[in-house]
Amino acid sequence: MNINQQTITQAGITAASALGGAMASRVVASKLDAVIKKPIYRHSLVALVGIALIAAGNTKETSGKIMQSAGTGIAATQLSEVLKLALTPKDKPMEDGILKTAVGLAAPETVYVESTTPYDYYDYEEVPNDTEQTMFLSGSTSSSFAEV
């Protein structure tokens, strides 16, 4: 194994291309929603485009490696969506287990319940104020001082 600047750069380009392909494939699949109504067909079509990019890329050129990496990201992302759709029952959620974790199905939504009681509420605006307010510099007009 030979790790140097060139191999690290190539690995970074490969990873970035795969990530970019995966992100772009999600956008394309969501935009195709208006054209192709069934999600399994839509994701399968985008996955086939990714596989075609992998097959068409020339590994001897940098652009071909980028194209293959992007195709890998596209195919992997969309094929995982196809597996989710194919393996998830329509009438009930998938049971917890390795398969659910492997295909990346979402966890159930957490429901938060408010637990404050009405006894915690104290309206400070309604508190009667029985103390007399003194005005600022009111001592200067007090009768205890001599007039000037």
Side-chain angles (χ1 to χ4, degrees):
M1 179 183 339
N2 185 15
I3 297 177
N4 55 31
Q5 184 178 0
Q6 182 182 5
T7 57
I8 291 173
T9 304
Q10 289 174 349
I13 290 171
T14 300
S17 300
L19 179 64
M23 292 168 65
S25 73
R26 288 187 189 105
V27 172
V28 169
S30 71
K31 297 294 182 187
L32 285 176
D33 187 26
V35 179
I36 303 172
K37 298 297 181 192
K38 288 199 173 199
I40 197 160
Y41 296 149
R42 182 174 58 242
H43 293 294
S44 298
L45 177 69
V46 178
L48 287 174
V49 170
I51 292 169
L53 283 175
I54 296 169
N58 182 5
T59 58
K60 296 188 185 334
E61 299 174 1
T62 304
S63 61
K65 289 179 185 178
I66 291 172
M67 191 165 68
Q68 280 188 333
S69 299
T72 302
I74 292 169
T77 301
Q78 295 305 314
L79 287 174
S80 69
E81 291 296 323
V82 169
L83 283 175
K84 283 181 198 178
L85 293 168
L87 296 176
T88 304
K90 297 199 183 328
D91 55 345
K92 63 178 183 170
M94 186 180 282
E95 294 180 14
D96 289 340
I98 294 174
L99 186 60
K100 181 178 180 178
T101 305
V103 296
L105 291 172
E109 184 178 331
T110 304
V111 177
Y112 295 100
V113 178
E114 186 177 346
S115 64
T116 59
T117 63
Y119 302 113
D120 293 336
Y121 175 72
Y122 186 76
D123 191 4
Y124 292 99
E125 297 292 325
E126 296 176 7
V127 176
N129 188 0
D130 295 335
T131 61
E132 184 179 320
Q133 297 275 337
T134 56
M135 296 180 54
F136 181 68
L137 295 176
S138 63
S140 63
T141 60
S142 175
S143 62
S144 61
F145 293 106
E147 290 189 28
V148 182

